[in-house]
Amino acid sequence: MEAKIRLEAVGFRYEGARRDLEVLNGITFACYEREVTAIVGPSGCGKSTLLSVVAGLRRPSEGKVLVDGEEIAGPPRSIGVMFQKNTLLPWRSVQENVELGLEVRGVARPERRRVALELIGKYGLAGFERKYPHALSGGMQKRVALIQLLAFNPEVLLLDEAFASLDAQTRLLVQDEFIRICRETGKTVIMVTHDIAEAISMADRVIVLSARPARLKADHKIRFERPRTTVLEVPSQPEYAHYFMTIWAELEVSGVSLGVDGRAGSAGQLGEDRQRE
């Protein structure tokens, strides 16, 4: 099967006045159509830089990125990116935000409106077309951001810690919604996350990177049945603990502890959680 996205010995360094900073070193892997691939690694190892290289926002210092067998030299039209930070424009309504990508691409207003209203209705935001982002919950804002991407129909979605800012309950709901939408639309997904549980629960494969300069340390096939029911139910699978502890051991993260629920978090954050309990 031809890879949808292929990285071949990708390296990246930031050039400095005195010396360069090497961030990525010889990373090679492939992602296939309809596959969800999660990338995890120590904080600061270069996960987001790798995603920006795949998106064509940065040129690799070595190696190349291919989409459908063609080397990219800039942002491909077939790729859409969803960041952790809310990128909705506060002065535009839900409908106007959904139309934004189509507007930039020069799509006529009637067609923009038709596509936006169809997606807004399909994904549970009917009645909120004229609302502004400040009037929406965090989960609804994420849904609008996802619909905004889907409006110009990219074949590949890149997520950079896209759910990290949400509270735990909303995060689970949005993760389930995202997986359902990806299954319906047949998108190929690469997602960067610090959350091992999120990676295992949502992805078909988990790529583990080493500390900077990031090298590919492991590539795990997550062998749970598809379609998965809900993200919340995945940890009850017998293989889940094996995946979690294997990836945890590979991360070599200092200053991070395991919480009682099996999730990773900083010592300070875990202490705050216990105080709240």
Side-chain angles (χ1 to χ4, degrees):
M1 183 187 299
E2 179 64 36
K4 189 69 178 175
I5 294 179
R6 184 179 297 277
L7 284 72
E8 297 184 355
V10 168
F12 183 86
R13 69 177 63 88
Y14 291 102
E15 296 182 359
R18 296 186 176 181
R19 65 184 181 92
D20 295 346
L21 176 64
E22 186 180 19
V23 181
L24 308 174
N25 183 294
I27 294 179
T28 298
F29 66 86
C31 301
Y32 296 90
E33 193 169 0
R34 295 176 176 266
E35 188 175 61
V36 179
T37 300
I39 298 174
V40 300
S43 181
C45 75
K47 298 184 295 296
S48 294
T49 299
L50 178 60
L51 207 68
S52 68
V53 170
V54 175
L57 301 174
R58 300 182 188 273
R59 291 186 63 87
S61 304
E62 294 92 22
K64 56 186 177 181
V65 178
L66 299 96
V67 177
D68 292 323
E70 298 289 331
E71 184 175 359
I72 65 171
R77 294 176 69 91
S78 59
I79 290 181
V81 185
M82 188 172 174
F83 299 99
Q84 176 181 348
K85 186 178 179 181
N86 183 3
T87 56
L88 300 179
L89 299 180
W91 59 87
R92 295 180 71 120
S93 67
V94 167
Q95 180 181 330
E96 291 167 339
N97 267 292
V98 172
E99 291 183 18
L100 182 59
L102 297 174
E103 184 178 335
V104 170
R105 293 190 173 185
V107 176
R109 181 176 294 179
E111 178 63 10
R112 296 199 310 260
R113 183 175 186 273
R114 183 193 68 77
V115 171
L117 292 178
E118 179 179 320
L119 289 171
I120 288 169
K122 183 176 182 179
Y123 295 117
L125 288 171
F128 292 88
E129 297 87 349
R130 298 182 183 275
K131 299 291 185 182
Y132 289 86
H134 70 84
L136 306 178
S137 68
M140 292 176 74
Q141 290 180 19
K142 285 296 180 185
R143 195 182 304 178
V144 175
L146 178 57
I147 293 172
Q148 186 183 62
L149 276 184
L150 295 176
F152 66 88
N153 198 29
E155 298 171 19
V156 178
L157 301 180
L158 305 181
L159 277 64
D160 189 2
E161 294 283 354
F163 312 122
S165 62
L166 300 174
D167 65 82
Q169 182 179 359
T170 303
R171 187 172 183 172
L172 288 169
L173 293 172
V174 173
Q175 287 170 344
D176 278 341
E177 182 76 0
F178 177 79
I179 290 299
R180 180 182 69 82
I181 291 172
C182 288
R183 189 166 63 239
E184 289 177 354
T185 57
K187 304 299 182 188
T188 303
V189 180
I190 302 178
M191 54 181 289
V192 160
T193 178
H194 281 90
D195 190 330
I196 301 174
E198 179 175 82
I200 297 169
S201 298
M202 295 184 67
D204 302 297
R205 288 168 59 212
V206 177
I207 301 289
V208 182
L209 300 181
S210 70
R212 191 177 69 236
R215 297 175 175 85
L216 194 148
K217 191 166 188 179
D219 185 346
H220 297 280
K221 177 71 175 177
I222 306 300
R223 302 184 184 279
F224 295 136
E225 290 186 9
R226 288 286 189 181
R228 298 178 192 176
T229 48
T230 70
V231 169
L232 189 60
E233 292 179 7
V234 172
S236 66
Q237 300 293 323
E239 304 93 337
Y240 176 85
H242 169 72
Y243 287 129
F244 191 102
M245 297 309 298
T246 300
I247 294 170
W248 173 258
E250 292 165 344
L251 282 176
E252 297 180 349
V253 181
S254 61
V256 178
S257 304
L258 283 177
V260 293
D261 61 352
R263 290 178 179 264
S266 68
Q269 182 180 4
L270 290 170
E272 292 170 3
D273 291 343
R274 290 191 184 102
Q275 288 178 5
R276 284 195 293 269
E277 293 171 355

